[in-house]
Amino acid sequence: MPNPKLGDPNAINSAVLHWVEEMSEHCGPDKTFWCDGSIEEHEALTNVAVSQGVLVPLNQTKLPGCYYHRSNPNDVARVEQCTYICTQTEEEAGPTNNWMDPREMHHKLDALTKGSMRGRTMYVVPYLMGPPGSPLSKVGIELTDSIYVVLSMRIMTRMGTVAFEHLGQSDDFNRGLHCMLDINPERRYIAHFPQENAVISVGSNYGGNVLLGKKCLALRIGSFLGRREGWLAEHMLILGVEAPNGDKTFIAAAFPSQCGKTNFAMMTPPPHFKNWKIWTVGDDIAWMKPGPTGRLHAINPEAGYFGVAPGTNGETNANAMVTISCDTIYTNVALTPDMDVWWEGKTKTPPPELIDWKGNPWTPASKEKAAHPNSRFTAPMANNPSLAHEVNDAMGVPISAIIFGGRRSTTIPLVYQAFNWIHGVYVGATMSSETTAAATGAVGQVRRDPMAMLPFCGYNMGEYFKHWLNMRKEIQIPPRIFHVNWFRKNDRGEYLWPGFGENMRVLKWIVDRCRGQADAREVPLGWVPGPRQFDLEGMKDFDASRLAEAQSMNPEDWKREVLLQDELFMKLYSHLPKELIFQRELLVARL
Ligand code: SAT
Ligand code: MN
């Protein structure tokens, strides 16, 4: 059965072989196809996808190597209510996760997946999360009957032979099974078995549910393994800030889905910041472990970007526009008559006619959006003009600061710094954000989203906080911790901060703080920039009084905020580290 392209069948990892054979017998595909990740294979599989109508070629003059995919309209986002953490006990999964007994879930999914690939091809997708040779990297194998998943995994991960080379004869790999079934929301499960290092996803074909290296392995299973093995798997972008003198400072930042991680990671500094440069290491996930410099070292386990299309344009993210100009799969955006792509916010005025994401004719008079609000691009990081040179470094990059941030239209100031690690963990643990279209459900509701990990933590959130606190002992030079909010609004509903490239100004203060080059003023929340420490030069219509408004802190609002934090703390009570309760008391006293 092994693909002869992979060489001597005896050299193939026998644990892999046995498992693939077993699953193939169970799912009953007509054919089993072993992916090697080569260019020839990519070309051949793309042709198959086009012939099946799964991918549609876009205008190859404007968008060489780009394809279009339209999903089932019932399958456009992550589904948290169908996502399960199947640990041995419910307590291990904790009150913020859906739980089912692993035996019961296996039983249920065995019934659904048995024979489910009859008449179809089962693709064996070996993939490596992280740079080859890195002690932080992990191997996964995803068995899938979706060619869209295969082609997306080739962009998002280091896919193919490289994974088998990294794995050798070890049986330490994530076992992922994905069966589309009939894309029925009633039979949709994204089930994680942390103790088995396994994931089974059925009934969906949407990225976050089915690209099993991403949220499933890199975050849910990853966070579980990270606690066991002494590292952190986080929903964080990683970027490098290069100063005019060549000094580089690496920063990781946790924001919930659709809060601008990709834009921030690829930011173009405003003209005033001449000779400053932002380098992208990753836009979504960071694996961090204490490293040789005494700092936390971070790798980006991914190799591509699964980014939100709406709002992306030359001004909000010029580097993304270049990145997605070739070799990109677009999902659920709108199409122009000449097979170019369009989404809300791509251009100021929409084209006169489009085909919308559901395949219907669309004009600017149409009531519905042309592109789905969670429409996405899947693009290789190699296309990114701001890709950090260190992205393939086996030891990762040393992290000087961690930023937490949510989407909050009230209460939370633009930026403040935590007093120390424990306070920083409290700031991250009490993070909140308004919900977005990245997950199905109501949009715009404030919820606690600790460290932006609420949908992605593979074990009890209280234990996760403990792990964060314990990590302090392992890190000689801990990152400074900050909180930001780009999304605060005034009473008229206008944003108080312009965001995007101007975020460089916040970043500059953060870098200066890490390097001991900027003063701060102490306020109840933490440290904030002193009046002369925050560079406003060259900003249009923005002065110190506008900054003061964006930074303002109303103790009454904050007392209410602390009460809102209690909801999560009560839920986690039996596992909540006492340090966090103490931090809450200190904050109340300062207020
Ligand atoms: O859809 S994904 O889960 O991959 C992206 C996100 O929601 O962060
Ligand atoms: Mn994400």
Side-chain angles (χ1 to χ4, degrees):
M1 173 174 57
N3 186 331
K5 280 186 290 183
L6 294 173
D8 177 5
N10 298 322
I12 290 205
N13 183 309
S14 54
V16 173
L17 211 52
H18 285 142
W19 175 65
V20 173
E21 266 163 9
E22 189 191 325
M23 296 324 290
S24 172
E25 206 143 290
H26 174 76
C27 298
D30 283 8
K31 234 170 60 191
T32 300
F33 184 102
W34 291 68
C35 298
D36 65 8
S38 66
I39 294 173
E40 299 74 29
E41 175 186 278
H42 175 247
E43 219 174 271
L45 291 180
T46 302
N47 290 338
V48 173
V50 169
S51 71
Q52 292 175 350
V54 173
L55 291 185
V56 177
L58 288 165
N59 184 319
Q60 294 298 304
T61 315
K62 289 183 170 176
L63 297 166
C66 293
Y67 292 85
Y68 180 63
H69 173 77
R70 195 174 271 138
S71 82
N72 188 315
N74 78 31
D75 186 35
V76 294
R78 277 183 292 104
V79 275
E80 291 175 10
Q81 67 277 18
C82 307
T83 303
Y84 288 81
I85 302 295
C86 304
T87 40
Q88 295 302 324
T89 64
E90 184 164 8
E91 197 170 357
E92 285 168 277
T96 58
N97 282 313
N98 301 312
W99 176 83
M100 199 185 286
D101 182 282
R103 273 162 311 180
E104 192 185 333
M105 183 61 96
H106 273 302
H107 187 72
K108 187 189 269 299
L109 294 181
D110 277 355
L112 286 174
T113 53
K114 179 136 188 69
S116 71
M117 293 191 189
R118 215 149 275 141
R120 308 178 60 84
T121 298
M122 180 169 92
Y123 296 94
V124 181
V125 183
Y127 62 93
L128 177 63
M129 299 304 284
S134 171
L136 277 151
S137 295
K138 299 262 178 215
V139 171
I141 298 178
E142 176 164 357
L143 309 179
T144 177
D145 58 357
S146 162
I147 196 165
Y148 168 74
V149 165
V150 178
L151 292 165
S152 301
M153 286 294 281
R154 188 172 184 276
I155 296 174
M156 293 304 298
T157 69
R158 293 156 174 94
M159 187 267 256
T161 337
V162 61
F164 284 130
E165 281 162 12
H166 189 96
L167 185 63
Q169 289 302 320
S170 164
D171 69 350
D172 181 16
F173 61 93
N174 181 269
R175 289 150 170 81
L177 173 65
H178 167 234
C179 304
M180 288 199 283
L181 311 184
D182 54 352
I183 313 290
N184 178 350
E186 302 297 315
R187 302 201 282 160
R188 187 168 292 162
Y189 293 92
I190 299 96
H192 304 72
F193 304 90
Q195 277 110 347
E196 300 164 38
N197 192 4
V199 182
I200 301 176
S201 169
V202 302
S204 171
N205 200 32
Y206 167 74
N209 298 331
V210 299
L211 306 179
L212 300 184
K214 196 174 182 57
K215 306 299 181 177
C216 300
L217 171 52
L219 290 178
R220 298 196 190 95
I221 299 284
S223 59
F224 181 94
L225 296 176
R227 179 178 54 157
R228 197 151 76 186
E229 299 165 3
W231 51 281
L232 295 165
E234 299 299 327
H235 194 202
M236 292 181 181
L237 66 93
I238 311 164
L239 60 77
V241 184
E242 185 177 338
N245 68 2
D247 283 348
K248 275 190 196 167
T249 310
F250 291 97
I251 291 173
F255 304 131
S257 306
Q258 288 213 349
C259 290
K261 279 202 300 298
T262 306
N263 293 342
F264 193 53
M266 297 185 184
M267 179 172 47
T268 310
H272 171 61
F273 286 82
K274 207 165 165 260
N275 298 325
W276 286 81
K277 182 90 185 82
I278 300 297
W279 298 104
T280 317
V281 181
D283 81 324
D284 195 38
I285 295 168
W287 283 356
M288 303 192 286
K289 190 177 184 170
T293 60
R295 293 184 187 271
L296 259 186
H297 279 239
I299 62 161
N300 168 16
E302 300 189 280
Y305 310 120
F306 184 61
V308 183
T312 308
N313 61 53
E315 264 161 49
T316 58
N317 195 339
N319 287 319
M321 292 307 285
V322 175
T323 306
I324 63 181
S325 63
C326 58
D327 305 324
T328 296
I329 300 175
Y330 289 91
T331 303
N332 290 343
V333 298
L335 294 175
T336 67
D338 70 341
M339 294 307 280
D340 195 355
V341 289
W342 193 84
W343 48 79
E344 278 67 20
K346 186 182 182 209
T347 53
K348 289 219 168 69
T349 33
E353 49 175 2
L354 292 167
I355 301 295
D356 73 10
W357 70 277
K358 287 182 180 160
N360 300 318
W362 186 96
T363 72
S366 301
K367 287 208 175 49
E368 307 223 348
K369 291 205 187 318
H372 188 275
N374 195 36
S375 53
R376 298 268 172 166
F377 53 77
T378 311
M381 69 177 180
N383 284 0
N384 178 2
S386 66
L387 187 68
H389 307 299
E390 296 83 355
V391 76
N392 288 312
D393 283 4
M395 292 321 292
V397 295
I399 296 297
S400 297
I402 288 175
I403 305 177
F404 293 117
R407 175 186 292 269
R408 287 294 303 271
S409 43
T410 66
T411 315
I412 319 284
L414 177 63
V415 60
Y416 62 94
Q417 181 183 355
F419 293 121
N420 52 45
W421 181 265
I422 298 181
H423 180 222
V425 173
Y426 170 77
V427 167
T430 52
M431 231 174 90
S432 59
S433 197
E434 287 152 25
T435 49
T436 68
T440 46
V443 165
Q445 259 148 32
V446 175
R447 70 169 183 185
R448 295 296 121 188
D449 190 351
M451 277 103 165
M453 283 288 279
L454 183 71
F456 306 121
C457 186
Y459 61 103
N460 190 304
M461 203 66 157
E463 295 300 322
Y464 168 77
F465 297 154
K466 263 181 223 162
H467 179 48
W468 263 82
L469 292 169
N470 288 339
M471 284 299 289
R472 172 65 187 88
K473 297 194 266 301
E474 313 300 323
I475 315 168
Q476 279 149 30
I477 314 169
R480 312 290 158 93
I481 300 181
F482 298 80
H483 192 281
V484 302
N485 177 21
W486 316 134
F487 300 94
R488 197 174 188 181
K489 293 178 179 171
N490 63 16
D491 298 342
R492 294 184 299 283
E494 299 154 345
Y495 284 110
L496 289 175
W497 175 249
F500 302 106
E502 302 296 352
N503 292 339
M504 181 65 211
R505 296 168 192 276
V506 176
L507 208 44
K508 167 81 166 38
W509 181 71
I510 290 174
V511 168
D512 286 347
R513 285 296 292 166
C514 293
R515 293 182 171 265
Q517 292 163 354
D519 285 345
R521 205 159 48 84
E522 189 176 329
V523 298
L525 297 183
W527 287 314
V528 296
R532 280 179 313 282
Q533 298 294 331
F534 197 89
D535 192 344
L536 295 176
E537 206 184 313
M539 280 186 86
K540 263 214 325 260
D541 310 322
F542 200 92
D543 56 13
S545 72
R546 301 264 323 251
L547 179 65
E549 198 182 352
Q551 279 291 79
S552 65
M553 206 210 78
N554 177 338
E556 290 317 305
D557 289 349
W558 268 93
K559 283 178 196 158
R560 260 195 303 280
E561 187 69 19
V562 173
L563 288 178
L564 290 175
Q565 295 172 0
D566 275 355
E567 197 189 330
L568 179 74
F569 277 17
M570 291 309 285
K571 219 170 167 181
L572 296 173
Y573 198 78
S574 55
H575 287 259
L576 193 68
K578 299 295 165 278
E579 288 91 332
L580 298 190
I581 298 172
F582 186 52
Q583 285 296 323
R584 176 195 182 281
E585 293 312 306
L586 286 174
L587 173 60
V588 171
R590 291 195 300 269
L591 287 168

